[in-house]
Amino acid sequence: MNPMALVITVCAVLSPNTCRETRMVFSSGGSLAQCAMAAPPYIAQWVGQHPKWTAVKWRCEYPHSDDKADASKVVPAG
């Protein structure tokens, strides 16, 4: 499996205009698009551990690359 960066844009629940990006290492054997499609359970876990934040979008990146695959919104996992 190849490591990818899962970049999640999160915004504060009590201040939706306060947003930031957080990165996670994500192992995926597929493309950037497959990484973005497989990400929701991991995003849900992160949001569960950080209840003051909500995920608004995410993308996957290869290390040291500008190639990206975007997903427009979070889909509840499970």
Side-chain angles (χ1 to χ4, degrees), residues 43-74:
I43 295 167
Q45 180 181 2
W46 188 94
V47 169
Q49 295 170 347
H50 302 86
K52 294 182 180 182
W53 297 92
T54 186
V56 294
K57 65 180 180 177
W58 68 90
R59 68 181 183 272
C60 293
E61 297 178 349
Y62 291 119
H64 310 292
S65 174
D66 291 332
D67 296 336
K68 299 174 184 170
D70 289 338
S72 61
K73 64 180 181 176
V74 173

Side-chain angles (χ1 to χ4, degrees), residues 10-20 51-54 56:
V10 295
C11 298
V13 171
L14 297 178
S15 180
N17 292 328
T18 303
C19 300
R20 66 181 176 99
K52 294 182 180 182
W53 297 92
T54 186
V56 294

Side-chain angles (χ1 to χ4, degrees), residues 20-33:
R20 66 181 176 99
E21 286 188 345
T22 186
R23 292 177 170 267
M24 296 173 29
V25 175
F26 190 74
S27 295
S28 176
S31 68
L32 292 173

